[in-house]
Amino acid sequence: MKRASIVSIGNELLNGETVNSNAAYLGQELLTIGIPVASSYAVADEVDAVVRALDLACYDANVIIATGGLGPTDDDLTRQAMAKFLGVELELHDDLLEKIQSFFKRLNRQMPERNKTQAYIPAGATALPNIGTAPGIRAELKGKLLFALPGVPMEMKRMFEESLLPDLRRFVGGQAVVVRKLKCFGAGESTIAELLGNAMERGRNPLVNCTVTSGIITLHIIAAAENETQAQAMADRQGKSLRSTLGELVYGTGDESLEQVVGEALGRQAKTLAVAESCTGGYLAKLLTDIPGASRYFTHGWITYSNEAKTAELGVPADLIEKHGAVSEQVAESMARCARRKAGTDFAIGITGIAGPGGATEQKPAGLVYISVDSDQGCEIERSLFSYDRRFVRLRSAQTALNMLRLKLNN
Amino acid sequence: MKRASIVSIGNELLNGETVNSNAAYLGQELLTIGIPVASSYAVADEVDAVVRALDLACYDANVIIATGGLGPTDDDLTRQAMAKFLGVELELHDDLLEKIQSFFKRLNRQMPERNKTQAYIPAGATALPNIGTAPGIRAELKGKLLFALPGVPMEMKRMFEESLLPDLRRFVGGQAVVVRKLKCFGAGESTIAELLGNAMERGRNPLVNCTVTSGIITLHIIAAAENETQAQAMADRQGKSLRSTLGELVYGTGDESLEQVVGEALGRQAKTLAVAESCTGGYLAKLLTDIPGASRYFTHGWITYSNEAKTAELGVPADLIEKHGAVSEQVAESMARCARRKAGTDFAIGITGIAGPGGATEQKPAGLVYISVDSDQGCEIERSLFSYDRRFVRLRSAQTALNMLRLKLNN
């Protein structure tokens, strides 16, 4: 079986400035093509440290992926380390230099002299195209594959998907591993684990893993078999069984986000949406418009952070705010109703709450949030009390709003 | 100089299920007491893999901290690996067993038989108290300090603070290390490196490191001296020199964000702000309201995603949009001016652009963004052409708007 080792390069990983999310991403992705990661090393921006780590990595694995240290500054030494490890010199590639120059030309800037260093590649290695200025590097050594990718996550991921994945798929051949993901929202990890019972036991095939990121629970179904068709059938069967247990807690598959699923449902049903936000301050609209093409269904947003703005811009009656307070079921309802009327959309969402840490009272603690969804079916309002901190309250409020709309669109 | 190495143990770190935030925490904390981390290894739950990693760690460092693998299940093998590495046997400690039993008693539960394994410690090593059931381990070997801590972040942090910090402070003695950060925005990494010249050379003291996260450049100044006062003076001198070179590119210190610095300036000057966003769809307002207490200065936001919304909600003349297009200097200016008038604030920001990937034309490519800041001094408009993808265009647009306002508030 092929195994991988990851070498993450950069002082920022050692001094804790940056959490090594690249290694986590690569670990997940490599597993999906049947190459488990055997070890992962993080080392400083020093040639000898990188060379030593590459040596160790070769001991553990036959696929070695280094990330970081391909930038243009003096502390970016991965190119040199790679050359030293391979026992070759760095060579200037004119075509790479041209590409880097044209990258700056597009931005109407002169290429800084130091970026020239990014056009050097170890002799015998090949360059991998990048959306940024730093090309990646691919080399072979004694039947092992070595890659150097940029440390910028966006560039690293793109290069992994476009250049490494096809390459590595050819390299592994043999066993087929199929990974499917189910995305869930609306219950905690332990509730979901309890619902699933022994489906999550270790050592099963398909294996079911559970990870939580920002309140979204992802169930990974990993099925291994002799061939792709078999593995797919196993994964599908397992997926169906999990779905029937979890019901509406499952909102999507793969890497789908709540905002994507909601956006697709709105688009499919040719419905439109407006939002009126107070405590989330634009977070819900931001999530909605993260999705390309959101203008098809999202038209208007109001961030009525002050009471005055709620009244002047949305038309929430001042005496309603006076009587019940800005954080109340009544004001949440009025925000959604007013927003839908003003925008002329099919749906409107209103959010008002106390994100904290300030602004809490005895009756209205930090984390208290009212979320309303108005449509021609009437206005639905949910009261939530989120714990943790401001960041959590705001994120969970926006997610809960999306989830309420999702369930409405399902029915 | 003392150096540390971190050995993170657990399959979940290799398959990407868990991001290694423990290593980041330890890296930060160790640096503050003058023990930089030289290397960081993540390995599987296998005795030999852990022993190999401990070997390597000893090569790099004189403080070795292992985390994880101290649980009660069969795949928790750090105790065994530690004993094998030290060349000793595991010994049952009755006092530890009693503590674990009483832990369960407090929860009104019988201690599961398998938890007994947590009362074993390598001969000659000492146990470190834990709030959970797994005691930590401390050993010495040839003048080096070895620790094994639990993998649960809360338990690990508590044990680090209570047991390791005092121990390590004694171990390092003498040397003081002071770390300062300068946060910069408005130029790329290579431009900043060029401006700084030899200040970023390796091996200097103070050392200046540069890291980039989401377009924000952080310069770390790391000064080492015989005592704290000296180290502080060195760091301060270096900081002053960098500031005078970089001028307005430096927006803050420590962990300050752009939105925090802008919010503080608005609060200090008792000024208010409204925003009118199109392509950023609420992202700018979201960043502003990430800051607790933003309601002091932020009152109104409009997300006028459709042309109709720009006209109906803000009052941008329909014929202006017709004539110049929604993505134009004229519409950006009108958005800010209308928002400021409607909200009655001191400042207003307008953003209109093409986040992509759709919506581009020959004249107006994806990434073209106009940002305007209106105040009683008039309206300033900047045209930008951001590359990369939708996420980048939106983030950089919001950051650029914050930066424009910051510079205005400075003058």
Side-chain angles (χ1 to χ4, degrees):
Chain A
M1 195 183 199
K2 308 290 187 204
R3 307 234 281 173
S5 180
I6 295 169
V7 177
S8 311
I9 300 157
N11 296 324
E12 71 277 14
L13 299 166
L14 298 173
N15 65 22
E17 174 79 16
T18 303
V19 175
N20 197 349
S21 61
N22 281 351
Y25 168 84
L26 289 172
Q28 276 183 12
E29 291 296 315
L30 287 164
L31 194 59
T32 66
I33 53 169
I35 308 181
V37 172
S39 61
S40 175
Y41 305 106
V43 294
D45 293 302
E46 292 163 18
V47 170
D48 288 339
V50 176
V51 171
R52 210 156 57 231
L54 291 173
D55 256 331
L56 298 172
C58 278
Y59 179 87
D60 294 329
N62 25 33
V63 173
I64 294 94
I65 303 181
T67 63
L70 292 178
T73 65
D74 290 345
D75 58 1
D76 290 305
L77 298 164
T78 300
R79 273 174 296 269
Q80 285 88 325
M82 197 77 169
K84 187 168 178 186
F85 175 72
L86 294 166
V88 299
E89 296 293 313
L90 286 171
E91 283 175 353
L92 178 65
H93 286 232
D94 292 329
D95 56 326
L96 295 178
L97 186 58
E98 255 167 59
K99 265 191 206 158
I100 298 169
Q101 281 165 334
S102 73
F103 177 92
F104 282 96
K105 207 168 281 169
R106 271 204 309 281
L107 303 177
N108 278 323
R109 285 169 51 197
Q110 176 87 25
M111 181 189 88
E113 187 54 28
R114 59 174 70 238
N115 281 82
K116 191 177 170 185
T117 182
Q118 298 182 309
Y120 283 83
I121 294 286
T126 48
L128 305 172
N130 186 4
I131 44 169
T133 56
I137 302 172
R138 176 194 192 278
E140 293 190 27
L141 185 72
K142 298 178 192 160
K144 293 174 193 283
L145 288 188
L146 275 85
F147 299 94
L149 309 187
V152 179
M154 196 170 57
E155 299 181 12
M156 187 278 296
K157 288 179 188 176
R158 182 97 162 240
M159 197 179 287
F160 181 82
E161 281 166 22
E162 293 183 357
S163 299
L164 273 66
L165 266 185
D167 199 358
L168 291 172
R169 284 221 171 86
R170 274 191 304 274
F171 189 63
V172 287
Q175 198 194 30
V177 175
V178 166
V179 178
R180 297 253 195 280
K181 298 186 207 169
L182 291 184
K183 312 285 282 184
C184 312
F185 184 84
E189 192 183 2
S190 52
T191 308
I192 287 193
E194 225 154 86
L195 285 169
L196 294 187
N198 61 7
M200 281 179 63
E201 262 170 19
R202 312 264 79 192
R204 284 175 88 250
N205 181 20
L207 184 67
V208 179
N209 272 339
C210 174
T211 60
V212 191
T213 309
S214 304
I216 302 294
I217 290 178
T218 305
L219 295 171
H220 304 249
I221 304 164
I222 304 162
E226 267 177 33
N227 61 59
E228 187 88 10
T229 321
Q230 265 184 342
Q232 261 167 3
M234 286 167 66
D236 287 344
R237 215 162 32 236
Q238 181 69 68
K240 215 175 261 177
S241 146
L242 296 180
R243 272 176 180 277
S244 89
T245 309
L246 297 175
E248 282 195 321
L249 290 174
V250 178
Y251 74 78
T253 56
D255 292 319
E256 282 181 321
S257 61
L258 271 172
E259 50 273 24
Q260 204 175 343
V261 166
V262 166
E264 271 160 25
L266 286 168
R268 212 168 35 239
Q269 299 176 29
K271 302 286 188 191
T272 53
L273 172 66
V275 303
E277 303 181 61
S278 188
C279 65
T280 44
Y283 206 160
L284 173 59
K286 187 260 173 196
L287 290 178
L288 285 163
T289 59
D290 274 341
I291 307 303
S295 56
R296 272 200 305 161
Y297 45 82
F298 178 71
T299 58
H300 295 62
W302 287 267
I303 302 154
T304 51
Y305 219 56
S306 66
N307 289 349
E308 196 200 326
K310 289 180 185 66
T311 302
E313 301 311 320
L314 284 171
V316 175
D319 58 355
L320 196 77
I321 299 177
E322 177 76 22
K323 191 171 166 198
H324 302 284
V327 178
S328 61
E329 198 179 309
Q330 291 81 1
V331 169
E333 176 175 355
S334 176
M335 283 171 72
R337 284 192 190 279
C338 291
R340 192 164 83 91
R341 194 174 48 233
K342 287 202 81 174
T345 48
D346 299 300
F347 294 94
I349 294 174
I351 305 181
T352 179
I354 299 161
T361 65
E362 190 106 335
Q363 285 77 37
K364 297 185 177 176
L368 176 67
V369 180
Y370 292 94
I371 302 171
S372 54
V373 180
D374 191 51
S375 69
D376 58 9
Q377 308 285 306
C379 191
E380 183 195 341
I381 305 145
E382 251 185 50
R383 177 189 188 277
S384 301
L385 188 57
F386 300 117
S387 56
Y388 296 97
D389 64 358
R390 182 177 180 87
R391 181 190 293 265
F392 180 85
V393 171
R394 283 161 45 89
L395 171 64
R396 192 51 57 90
S397 301
Q399 288 175 327
T400 302
L402 288 170
N403 200 46
M404 285 170 67
L405 181 55
R406 171 179 77 91
L407 295 175
K408 251 192 198 334
L409 286 163
N410 273 359
N411 297 325
Chain B
M1 194 182 197
K2 309 287 190 208
R3 307 232 282 174
S5 181
I6 295 169
V7 178
S8 311
I9 300 157
N11 296 327
E12 72 279 13
L13 298 167
L14 297 174
N15 66 21
E17 230 175 294
T18 304
V19 175
N20 196 349
S21 60
N22 282 351
Y25 168 84
L26 290 171
Q28 276 181 12
E29 291 298 314
L30 287 164
L31 195 59
T32 66
I33 55 169
I35 309 180
V37 172
S39 60
S40 175
Y41 305 105
V43 294
D45 292 303
E46 291 163 18
V47 171
D48 288 338
V50 176
V51 171
R52 209 158 56 232
L54 291 173
D55 255 331
L56 298 173
C58 278
Y59 179 87
D60 293 330
N62 24 36
V63 174
I64 293 92
I65 303 181
T67 63
L70 292 177
T73 63
D74 292 344
D75 58 0
D76 291 304
L77 299 164
T78 301
R79 275 174 296 269
Q80 286 87 324
M82 197 78 166
K84 184 167 181 188
F85 176 71
L86 295 165
V88 299
E89 294 294 312
L90 285 170
E91 282 176 354
L92 178 66
H93 287 233
D94 291 330
D95 55 328
L96 294 178
L97 186 58
E98 255 169 58
K99 264 191 209 160
I100 297 168
Q101 280 164 334
S102 74
F103 177 92
F104 282 97
K105 208 168 281 168
R106 273 202 310 279
L107 302 178
N108 280 322
R109 285 169 50 196
Q110 175 87 27
M111 183 189 86
E113 187 54 28
R114 58 173 70 240
N115 281 81
K116 191 176 170 187
T117 182
Q118 299 184 308
Y120 283 85
I121 294 285
T126 50
L128 305 172
N130 186 6
I131 44 170
T133 56
I137 302 171
R138 177 194 190 280
E140 292 189 29
L141 185 72
K142 299 180 190 159
K144 293 174 194 284
L145 288 188
L146 273 84
F147 299 94
L149 309 187
V152 182
M154 198 168 58
E155 299 181 13
M156 187 277 298
K157 287 179 188 177
R158 182 95 162 242
M159 194 177 290
F160 181 82
E161 281 165 24
E162 294 183 356
S163 299
L164 273 65
L165 266 186
D167 198 359
L168 291 174
R169 282 221 173 85
R170 275 191 304 276
F171 188 63
V172 286
Q175 200 189 34
V177 175
V178 166
V179 179
R180 296 248 195 287
K181 297 187 211 169
L182 291 184
K183 312 284 281 186
C184 312
F185 184 83
E189 191 184 3
S190 52
T191 307
I192 288 195
E194 226 152 85
L195 286 169
L196 295 185
N198 60 8
M200 281 181 64
E201 262 170 20
R202 315 265 75 193
R204 283 176 89 250
N205 181 22
L207 184 66
V208 179
N209 271 339
C210 173
T211 60
V212 192
T213 309
S214 303
I216 302 293
I217 290 178
T218 305
L219 295 170
H220 305 248
I221 303 165
I222 304 162
E226 269 177 26
N227 61 59
E228 187 90 10
T229 322
Q230 265 184 342
Q232 261 167 3
M234 283 167 65
D236 288 344
R237 214 162 33 237
Q238 180 70 68
K240 217 175 261 176
S241 146
L242 295 180
R243 272 175 180 280
S244 87
T245 308
L246 296 175
E248 285 194 316
L249 290 174
V250 178
Y251 75 78
T253 57
D255 292 318
E256 284 181 320
S257 62
L258 269 172
E259 49 272 24
Q260 205 175 340
V261 167
V262 166
E264 272 159 24
L266 286 167
R268 211 167 38 238
Q269 300 177 29
K271 302 287 188 190
T272 53
L273 171 67
V275 303
E277 304 181 59
S278 187
C279 64
T280 46
Y283 205 160
L284 173 58
K286 185 262 173 194
L287 291 177
L288 285 163
T289 58
D290 274 341
I291 308 303
S295 56
R296 273 199 306 161
Y297 45 82
F298 179 70
T299 58
H300 296 59
W302 287 267
I303 302 155
T304 50
Y305 219 57
S306 65
N307 289 350
E308 197 199 326
K310 289 180 185 69
T311 302
E313 300 312 319
L314 285 171
V316 175
D319 58 355
L320 197 76
I321 300 177
E322 177 76 23
K323 191 169 164 199
H324 303 284
V327 178
S328 62
E329 199 179 310
Q330 291 82 359
V331 169
E333 176 175 356
S334 176
M335 285 170 72
R337 284 191 190 278
C338 291
R340 191 162 84 91
R341 193 174 51 232
K342 287 203 82 173
T345 48
D346 298 299
F347 294 95
I349 294 173
I351 305 182
T352 179
I354 299 161
T361 65
E362 190 103 337
Q363 284 78 38
K364 299 186 176 175
L368 176 67
V369 180
Y370 291 93
I371 303 172
S372 54
V373 180
D374 191 51
S375 70
D376 59 9
Q377 308 285 305
C379 190
E380 185 196 339
I381 305 145
E382 252 185 47
R383 175 190 188 276
S384 301
L385 187 56
F386 300 117
S387 56
Y388 295 100
D389 64 357
R390 182 177 180 90
R391 179 190 294 263
F392 180 85
V393 171
R394 282 159 49 89
L395 170 63
R396 192 52 58 89
S397 299
Q399 289 175 326
T400 302
L402 289 169
N403 200 46
M404 285 171 68
L405 180 56
R406 171 179 77 89
L407 296 175
K408 256 196 194 332
L409 287 162
N410 274 358
N411 297 326

mmCIF file with all atom_site columns, all heavy atoms in Angstrom, chain A residues 121-135:
data_model
loop_
_atom_site.group_PDB
_atom_site.id
_atom_site.type_symbol
_atom_site.label_atom_id
_atom_site.label_alt_id
_atom_site.label_comp_id
_atom_site.label_asym_id
_atom_site.label_entity_id
_atom_site.label_seq_id
_atom_site.pdbx_PDB_ins_code
_atom_site.Cartn_x
_atom_site.Cartn_y
_atom_site.Cartn_z
_atom_site.occupancy
_atom_site.B_iso_or_equiv
_atom_site.pdbx_formal_charge
_atom_site.auth_seq_id
_atom_site.auth_comp_id
_atom_site.auth_asym_id
_atom_site.auth_atom_id
_atom_site.pdbx_PDB_model_num
ATOM 1  N N   . ILE A 1 121 ? 14.043 25.920 -10.724 1.00 0.00 ? 121 ILE A N   1
ATOM 2  C CA  . ILE A 1 121 ? 13.520 24.580 -10.403 1.00 0.00 ? 121 ILE A CA  1
ATOM 3  C C   . ILE A 1 121 ? 14.724 23.624 -10.354 1.00 0.00 ? 121 ILE A C   1
ATOM 4  O O   . ILE A 1 121 ? 15.644 23.777 -11.145 1.00 0.00 ? 121 ILE A O   1
ATOM 5  C CB  . ILE A 1 121 ? 12.558 24.124 -11.535 1.00 0.00 ? 121 ILE A CB  1
ATOM 6  C CG1 . ILE A 1 121 ? 11.301 25.009 -11.578 1.00 0.00 ? 121 ILE A CG1 1
ATOM 7  C CG2 . ILE A 1 121 ? 12.171 22.675 -11.406 1.00 0.00 ? 121 ILE A CG2 1
ATOM 8  C CD1 . ILE A 1 121 ? 10.321 24.755 -10.466 1.00 0.00 ? 121 ILE A CD1 1
ATOM 9  N N   . PRO A 1 122 ? 14.726 22.646 -9.442  1.00 0.00 ? 122 PRO A N   1
ATOM 10 C CA  . PRO A 1 122 ? 15.847 21.688 -9.423  1.00 0.00 ? 122 PRO A CA  1
ATOM 11 C C   . PRO A 1 122 ? 15.964 20.974 -10.774 1.00 0.00 ? 122 PRO A C   1
ATOM 12 O O   . PRO A 1 122 ? 14.941 20.630 -11.374 1.00 0.00 ? 122 PRO A O   1
ATOM 13 C CB  . PRO A 1 122 ? 15.462 20.697 -8.316  1.00 0.00 ? 122 PRO A CB  1
ATOM 14 C CG  . PRO A 1 122 ? 14.497 21.434 -7.446  1.00 0.00 ? 122 PRO A CG  1
ATOM 15 C CD  . PRO A 1 122 ? 13.764 22.379 -8.348  1.00 0.00 ? 122 PRO A CD  1
ATOM 16 N N   . ALA A 1 123 ? 17.188 20.756 -11.223 1.00 0.00 ? 123 ALA A N   1
ATOM 17 C CA  . ALA A 1 123 ? 17.415 20.084 -12.506 1.00 0.00 ? 123 ALA A CA  1
ATOM 18 C C   . ALA A 1 123 ? 16.718 18.724 -12.512 1.00 0.00 ? 123 ALA A C   1
ATOM 19 O O   . ALA A 1 123 ? 16.792 17.986 -11.539 1.00 0.00 ? 123 ALA A O   1
ATOM 20 C CB  . ALA A 1 123 ? 18.908 19.920 -12.751 1.00 0.00 ? 123 ALA A CB  1
ATOM 21 N N   . GLY A 1 124 ? 16.019 18.420 -13.598 1.00 0.00 ? 124 GLY A N   1
ATOM 22 C CA  . GLY A 1 124 ? 15.350 17.129 -13.713 1.00 0.00 ? 124 GLY A CA  1
ATOM 23 C C   . GLY A 1 124 ? 13.942 17.118 -13.160 1.00 0.00 ? 124 GLY A C   1
ATOM 24 O O   . GLY A 1 124 ? 13.171 16.203 -13.430 1.00 0.00 ? 124 GLY A O   1
ATOM 25 N N   . ALA A 1 125 ? 13.588 18.128 -12.373 1.00 0.00 ? 125 ALA A N   1
ATOM 26 C CA  . ALA A 1 125 ? 12.231 18.204 -11.830 1.00 0.00 ? 125 ALA A CA  1
ATOM 27 C C   . ALA A 1 125 ? 11.333 18.961 -12.804 1.00 0.00 ? 125 ALA A C   1
ATOM 28 O O   . ALA A 1 125 ? 11.817 19.595 -13.735 1.00 0.00 ? 125 ALA A O   1
ATOM 29 C CB  . ALA A 1 125 ? 12.241 18.905 -10.475 1.00 0.00 ? 125 ALA A CB  1
ATOM 30 N N   . THR A 1 126 ? 10.016 18.862 -12.601 1.00 0.00 ? 126 THR A N   1
ATOM 31 C CA  . THR A 1 126 ? 9.112  19.623 -13.460 1.00 0.00 ? 126 THR A CA  1
ATOM 32 C C   . THR A 1 126 ? 8.344  20.638 -12.617 1.00 0.00 ? 126 THR A C   1
ATOM 33 O O   . THR A 1 126 ? 8.159  20.450 -11.414 1.00 0.00 ? 126 THR A O   1
ATOM 34 C CB  . THR A 1 126 ? 8.098  18.706 -14.182 1.00 0.00 ? 126 THR A CB  1
ATOM 35 O OG1 . THR A 1 126 ? 7.528  17.829 -13.216 1.00 0.00 ? 126 THR A OG1 1
ATOM 36 C CG2 . THR A 1 126 ? 8.756  17.898 -15.259 1.00 0.00 ? 126 THR A CG2 1
ATOM 37 N N   . ALA A 1 127 ? 7.920  21.706 -13.269 1.00 0.00 ? 127 ALA A N   1
ATOM 38 C CA  . ALA A 1 127 ? 7.177  22.765 -12.579 1.00 0.00 ? 127 ALA A CA  1
ATOM 39 C C   . ALA A 1 127 ? 5.683  22.485 -12.657 1.00 0.00 ? 127 ALA A C   1
ATOM 40 O O   . ALA A 1 127 ? 5.198  21.951 -13.652 1.00 0.00 ? 127 ALA A O   1
ATOM 41 C CB  . ALA A 1 127 ? 7.473  24.109 -13.226 1.00 0.00 ? 127 ALA A CB  1
ATOM 42 N N   . LEU A 1 128 ? 4.973  22.801 -11.607 1.00 0.00 ? 128 LEU A N   1
ATOM 43 C CA  . LEU A 1 128 ? 3.517  22.642 -11.596 1.00 0.00 ? 128 LEU A CA  1
ATOM 44 C C   . LEU A 1 128 ? 2.882  24.027 -11.622 1.00 0.00 ? 128 LEU A C   1
ATOM 45 O O   . LEU A 1 128 ? 3.277  24.907 -10.861 1.00 0.00 ? 128 LEU A O   1
ATOM 46 C CB  . LEU A 1 128 ? 3.075  21.906 -10.325 1.00 0.00 ? 128 LEU A CB  1
ATOM 47 C CG  . LEU A 1 128 ? 3.737  20.552 -10.065 1.00 0.00 ? 128 LEU A CG  1
ATOM 48 C CD1 . LEU A 1 128 ? 3.360  20.024 -8.682  1.00 0.00 ? 128 LEU A CD1 1
ATOM 49 C CD2 . LEU A 1 128 ? 3.337  19.552 -11.149 1.00 0.00 ? 128 LEU A CD2 1
ATOM 50 N N   . PRO A 1 129 ? 1.891  24.234 -12.495 1.00 0.00 ? 129 PRO A N   1
ATOM 51 C CA  . PRO A 1 129 ? 1.305  25.573 -12.642 1.00 0.00 ? 129 PRO A CA  1
ATOM 52 C C   . PRO A 1 129 ? 0.569  26.017 -11.378 1.00 0.00 ? 129 PRO A C   1
ATOM 53 O O   . PRO A 1 129 ? -0.012 25.222 -10.660 1.00 0.00 ? 129 PRO A O   1
ATOM 54 C CB  . PRO A 1 129 ? 0.324  25.415 -13.806 1.00 0.00 ? 129 PRO A CB  1
ATOM 55 C CG  . PRO A 1 129 ? 0.094  23.954 -13.948 1.00 0.00 ? 129 PRO A CG  1
ATOM 56 C CD  . PRO A 1 129 ? 1.297  23.261 -13.423 1.00 0.00 ? 129 PRO A CD  1
ATOM 57 N N   . ASN A 1 130 ? 0.620  27.319 -11.125 1.00 0.00 ? 130 ASN A N   1
ATOM 58 C CA  . ASN A 1 130 ? 0.008  27.908 -9.929  1.00 0.00 ? 130 ASN A CA  1
ATOM 59 C C   . ASN A 1 130 ? -0.791 29.134 -10.335 1.00 0.00 ? 130 ASN A C   1
ATOM 60 O O   . ASN A 1 130 ? -0.454 29.810 -11.298 1.00 0.00 ? 130 ASN A O   1
ATOM 61 C CB  . ASN A 1 130 ? 1.121  28.304 -8.944  1.00 0.00 ? 130 ASN A CB  1
ATOM 62 C CG  . ASN A 1 130 ? 0.572  28.787 -7.615  1.00 0.00 ? 130 ASN A CG  1
ATOM 63 O OD1 . ASN A 1 130 ? -0.644 28.759 -7.390  1.00 0.00 ? 130 ASN A OD1 1
ATOM 64 N ND2 . ASN A 1 130 ? 1.443  29.230 -6.735  1.00 0.00 ? 130 ASN A ND2 1
ATOM 65 N N   . ILE A 1 131 ? -1.869 29.412 -9.564  1.00 0.00 ? 131 ILE A N   1
ATOM 66 C CA  . ILE A 1 131 ? -2.596 30.662 -9.818  1.00 0.00 ? 131 ILE A CA  1
ATOM 67 C C   . ILE A 1 131 ? -1.817 31.845 -9.250  1.00 0.00 ? 131 ILE A C   1
ATOM 68 O O   . ILE A 1 131 ? -1.989 32.968 -9.663  1.00 0.00 ? 131 ILE A O   1
ATOM 69 C CB  . ILE A 1 131 ? -4.022 30.641 -9.216  1.00 0.00 ? 131 ILE A CB  1
ATOM 70 C CG1 . ILE A 1 131 ? -4.007 30.055 -7.790  1.00 0.00 ? 131 ILE A CG1 1
ATOM 71 C CG2 . ILE A 1 131 ? -4.963 29.865 -10.103 1.00 0.00 ? 131 ILE A CG2 1
ATOM 72 C CD1 . ILE A 1 131 ? -5.308 30.240 -7.051  1.00 0.00 ? 131 ILE A CD1 1
ATOM 73 N N   . GLY A 1 132 ? -0.951 31.634 -8.261  1.00 0.00 ? 132 GLY A N   1
ATOM 74 C CA  . GLY A 1 132 ? -0.078 32.682 -7.738  1.00 0.00 ? 132 GLY A CA  1
ATOM 75 C C   . GLY A 1 132 ? 1.221  32.687 -8.524  1.00 0.00 ? 132 GLY A C   1
ATOM 76 O O   . GLY A 1 132 ? 1.317  32.089 -9.605  1.00 0.00 ? 132 GLY A O   1
ATOM 77 N N   . THR A 1 133 ? 2.246  33.347 -7.970  1.00 0.00 ? 133 THR A N   1
ATOM 78 C CA  . THR A 1 133 ? 3.492  33.453 -8.733  1.00 0.00 ? 133 THR A CA  1
ATOM 79 C C   . THR A 1 133 ? 4.409  32.243 -8.577  1.00 0.00 ? 133 THR A C   1
ATOM 80 O O   . THR A 1 133 ? 5.244  31.998 -9.421  1.00 0.00 ? 133 THR A O   1
ATOM 81 C CB  . THR A 1 133 ? 4.301  34.702 -8.298  1.00 0.00 ? 133 THR A CB  1
ATOM 82 O OG1 . THR A 1 133 ? 4.536  34.628 -6.894  1.00 0.00 ? 133 THR A OG1 1
ATOM 83 C CG2 . THR A 1 133 ? 3.555  35.974 -8.637  1.00 0.00 ? 133 THR A CG2 1
ATOM 84 N N   . ALA A 1 134 ? 4.270  31.494 -7.473  1.00 0.00 ? 134 ALA A N   1
ATOM 85 C CA  . ALA A 1 134 ? 5.220  30.417 -7.200  1.00 0.00 ? 134 ALA A CA  1
ATOM 86 C C   . ALA A 1 134 ? 4.806  29.109 -7.856  1.00 0.00 ? 134 ALA A C   1
ATOM 87 O O   . ALA A 1 134 ? 3.822  28.502 -7.444  1.00 0.00 ? 134 ALA A O   1
ATOM 88 C CB  . ALA A 1 134 ? 5.338  30.203 -5.690  1.00 0.00 ? 134 ALA A CB  1
ATOM 89 N N   . PRO A 1 135 ? 5.553  28.637 -8.850  1.00 0.00 ? 135 PRO A N   1
ATOM 90 C CA  . PRO A 1 135 ? 5.220  27.321 -9.405  1.00 0.00 ? 135 PRO A CA  1
ATOM 91 C C   . PRO A 1 135 ? 5.538  26.236 -8.385  1.00 0.00 ? 135 PRO A C   1
ATOM 92 O O   . PRO A 1 135 ? 6.415  26.407 -7.551  1.00 0.00 ? 135 PRO A O   1
ATOM 93 C CB  . PRO A 1 135 ? 6.140  27.192 -10.622 1.00 0.00 ? 135 PRO A CB  1
ATOM 94 C CG  . PRO A 1 135 ? 7.134  28.290 -10.554 1.00 0.00 ? 135 PRO A CG  1
ATOM 95 C CD  . PRO A 1 135 ? 6.726  29.256 -9.484  1.00 0.00 ? 135 PRO A CD  1
#
